[in-house]
Amino acid sequence: MPATMTGPPTSDQFEEVSCYACGESSCHDLLTGQDDLTGKPGDFRFVTCASCGLAYQSPRLTIKHIGAYYDDEYIAHRKETEWGILTRFYQRGMDKHDRQKDQLVSRYVQLQPGDRVLDVGCGSGSFLQRLRQRYQVAAGGVDFKNLTHLPFFDGVEFHEGLFYEQPLPQDHYDLVTMWHFLEHDYDPVRTLETTARILKPGGHLVVEVPRLDCVSYRLFGKRWPGVQAPQHTVLYSKKMLLKFADRCGLERVDYLPYGAFPAYFYLFAGTAFKIRKGQGINLRKAIYPYFLGQLLLTPVLWFERYLNLAMQTIIYRKPV
Ligand SMILES: [Zn+2]
């Protein structure tokens, strides 16, 4: 826990939110989430819109106060190189994740040298560096956390801040990707509209988010890793994700009930969160049971794509 965070966030750090999809402010309680990953204090309320059924966090921490939860412990920003005897497995896992993203995108988009790619919520930049090296694309990333000291940003253009506030050119990008970004977003509709503006006609958008109506949510409930309080602002069912994306002026190419992110992580973390009950998990210790569990579940995970375990991905295209 960082020295600045001595207790749960105070009420003046929160703001009420009305539904991101329809603007309705009346809602029902869905669950109370905690920071199960790092164990920082606080209870965070998620609700369901009384009008359209969207699940979202309200009240939410203001942008100014959410930053403290994206500290060095935040998993998407970790690029540790020393994991003892398991270093090789860990690095292989991270490489595999970028490879899965690449393979998923490549089913829909044949990237050519010089194509412009923007990854929104790019984190460490390793995915962009992969695309840059394999396809010689012009790679750009956006994130509100600046990690450009990492080597993955060599030759990658970086925009710091909120995506929809960036002065990005119209009809410019061949591909925009959002890997586990939209569920963190403070204005997802504006994000999708911005994407529709900056894509070239014929350009593609790929979005992966956790899926609320999935097997692992039914198993873990408020300890479901997709809750990830307080960082997750919206919990998307398949229906609501498609509804959001359909109205932003792009055309749907495909919907996948899985993603590049390993569903196994949600099975493992959900089990650990249930046991730890909001005290956080020590990733350094958890890495041994993590790989053991993965080995045992291998036969199940072969069929991950058909089991609706945790993730979903949408592919959209800007009309020509
Ligand atoms: Zn609504």
Side-chain angles (χ1 to χ4, degrees), residues 267-280:
L267 299 177
F268 177 83
T271 307
F273 293 172
K274 277 223 155 194
I275 296 167
R276 300 282 297 159
K277 294 189 168 52
Q279 297 173 86

Side-chain angles (χ1 to χ4, degrees), residues 270-292:
T271 307
F273 293 172
K274 277 223 155 194
I275 296 167
R276 300 282 297 159
K277 294 189 168 52
Q279 297 173 86
I281 56 172
N282 182 334
L283 288 175
R284 197 164 280 279
K285 281 186 191 159
I287 196 164
Y288 294 95
Y290 182 85
F291 284 114
L292 179 66

Side-chain angles (χ1 to χ4, degrees), residues 19 22 49 52:
C19 176
C22 73
C49 172
C52 75

